[in-house]
Amino acid sequence: MRLDPFYLIVGHVSQIELLVPHGVRLVQLRIKDQSDAEIRRQIRRARDFCAVHRAQLVINDHWQAALDLNCSFVHLGQEDMDSADFAALRRAGVAVGLSTHDEAELERALSFDPAYVALGPVYRTLLKTMPWGPQGLDRVTDWKRVAGDVPLVGIGGLTTERLPGLFAAGADSAAVVTDIAQAPDPEARCCDWIRATEAWR
């Protein structure tokens, strides 16, 4: 599987509807602290909207809802991997991306034959408090060497200025949350990212 080099991550379907029409090809819907009904409502809307705009939708965490609603891609953290039914996801043809932060987690993730593995935080991130410090570009190179043909997503503290170093280190895609979500003009910033990643598309 080949990933688009720009991997947008948003927290609400309204952000998908705002940003995807600008040319986003890969977007993750990461819904936190909502009821099951609201989660499924947003997933349905995002699924249909992304289908119209030919964008690949990835559902974070809520693998059962993604399965029930015929979504084709989910992203799971290490904790989610404990409860996810990988056999059911595989039978349904759902691709799975997995988060990793250390060598043991990477080894475990690769054993599930994932569509991609993510490494983070590459740089210091303001998004959430993490038990891991910035991983750095050397770790990106290490991860890619181990992952081989499995696509590698870098996440955490990324900016457009840091893209050449990230891709030179071996990443296949750059996942972006804060740099767009906290921008004065998220639409303009999203367009900046699409242009900035064109050389790797």
Side-chain angles (χ1 to χ4, degrees):
M1 171 177 284
R2 192 177 189 287
L3 297 180
D4 193 84
F6 172 46
Y7 189 173
L8 175 65
I9 300 180
V10 300
H12 195 279
V13 66
S14 62
Q15 293 167 297
I16 285 179
E17 293 169 343
L18 179 69
L19 300 174
V20 163
H22 290 288
V24 175
R25 290 285 163 260
L26 179 63
V27 59
Q28 182 184 127
L29 181 59
R30 181 191 277 176
I31 308 170
K32 300 291 184 184
D33 305 319
Q34 296 293 330
S35 67
D36 187 62
E38 173 61 10
I39 288 165
R40 287 169 181 263
R41 181 191 74 81
Q42 289 199 40
I43 289 175
R44 272 191 211 94
R45 268 178 60 183
R47 177 199 64 196
D48 295 345
F49 192 84
C50 286
V52 169
H53 289 273
R54 297 182 180 177
Q56 175 63 64
L57 174 67
V58 182
I59 303 301
N60 182 271
D61 291 355
H62 305 292
W63 63 269
Q64 186 64 64
L67 201 54
D68 295 343
L69 296 171
N70 298 313
C71 295
S72 62
F73 214 138
V74 299
H75 177 92
L76 302 175
Q78 289 287 316
E79 302 80 14
D80 307 302
M81 289 165 62
D82 295 331
S83 58
D85 189 339
F86 280 90
L89 290 167
R90 217 170 279 119
R91 282 195 301 273
V94 178
V96 181
L98 299 172
S99 291
T100 66
H101 308 90
D102 60 35
E103 287 87 349
E105 290 184 356
L106 176 60
E107 186 176 348
R108 182 188 184 206
L110 291 172
S111 73
F112 287 101
D113 191 24
Y116 70 77
V117 291
L119 171 66
V122 178
Y123 295 96
R124 191 172 72 85
T125 176
L126 305 175
L127 184 65
K128 57 184 176 180
T129 303
M130 289 189 166
W132 307 275
Q135 303 273 8
L137 295 180
D138 287 346
R139 294 273 280 185
V140 173
T141 301
D142 291 344
W143 252 232
K144 188 58 184 175
R145 188 177 64 249
V146 175
D149 292 335
V150 177
L152 174 62
V153 175
I155 185 170
L158 297 181
T159 62
T160 54
E161 294 75 21
R162 288 171 168 168
L163 284 174
L166 178 74
F167 289 122
D172 298 285
S173 187
V176 188
V177 188
T178 310
D179 193 64
I180 291 173
Q182 294 185 359
D185 185 342
E187 288 180 90
R189 193 62 181 144
C190 183
C191 291
D192 290 343
W193 273 91
I194 292 169
R195 283 191 297 271
T197 49
E198 185 58 44
W200 294 278
R201 189 161 284 111

